Amino acid sequence: MLNRFCRTACQGAALAAALYAGVANADVSISGGWLRAVPPVSPTMAGYLTVTNNGDTSVTITGARSDIAGHTMLHSMKTLDDGTRKMGHLHHIMLAPGDSFSLAPGGDHLMLMKLQRVPQPGESVTVCLLQAEGDALCSALPVCREAPEES
């Protein structure tokens, strides 16, 4: 019952986030965003989203921020020749007109570190992507135990 409530709350929050992202910047949009719920003592949490350049000029995402985290980063995830996986700082994301880039479980992702508080499933947290070209692109991302189902 609680899992169904969290899934419904996350889907609703994801829809609100998509609408909010469209208002924030007509040329760049965020979709499918969410944060993975973590235990209440965790100092970090991961986030996922797709950013799309709907404009006619290139866009560069240079970082991220959130009010609940002391530090927010774009992280890359690479599989090395020996099969081990390694995280590192993703310094920027370049998007040509019409391009999309996904931050997804098991791959590149957002990392919210030094959490000031740990948000609970069903809450939404504002995360902003920083653009080299100007304003930050902010979206309210739902906190979910699992990826929200696409509708």
Side-chain angles (χ1 to χ4, degrees):
M1 176 80 159
L2 181 61
N3 192 24
R4 185 169 52 195
F5 169 77
C6 288
R7 183 176 311 278
T8 301
C10 285
Q11 288 171 340
L15 175 61
L19 294 172
Y20 177 74
V23 170
N25 185 328
D27 290 341
V28 183
S29 62
I30 292 174
S31 60
W34 64 287
L35 299 172
R36 184 170 307 277
V38 295
V41 295
S42 180
T44 64
M45 69 189 318
Y48 314 104
L49 57 82
T50 298
V51 59
T52 302
N53 180 359
N54 303 303
D56 55 9
T57 60
S58 293
V59 172
T60 304
I61 306 297
T62 57
R65 73 169 187 254
S66 178
D67 289 342
I68 69 158
H71 190 60
T72 305
M73 288 178 66
L74 302 169
H75 268 189
S76 66
M77 181 66 80
K78 298 187 189 306
T79 302
L80 304 177
D81 292 339
D82 64 2
T84 59
R85 297 180 57 112
K86 181 179 178 182
M87 270 193 291
H89 184 197
L90 179 61
H91 297 280
H92 63 274
I93 300 168
M94 295 184 70
L95 297 169
D99 279 357
S100 291
F101 189 88
S102 290
L103 300 170
D108 296 339
H109 57 278
L110 291 168
M111 210 57 210
L112 284 71
M113 299 170 281
K114 299 181 182 177
L115 294 174
Q116 296 168 8
R117 68 174 189 83
V118 177
Q120 299 301 304
E123 285 187 60
S124 290
V125 173
T126 300
V127 173
C128 298
L129 298 179
L130 309 177
Q131 298 181 77
E133 297 77 20
D135 295 335
L137 175 65
C138 299
S139 184
L141 304 184
V143 177
C144 305
R145 286 188 173 88
E146 304 172 357
E149 291 181 14
E150 298 289 324
S151 43

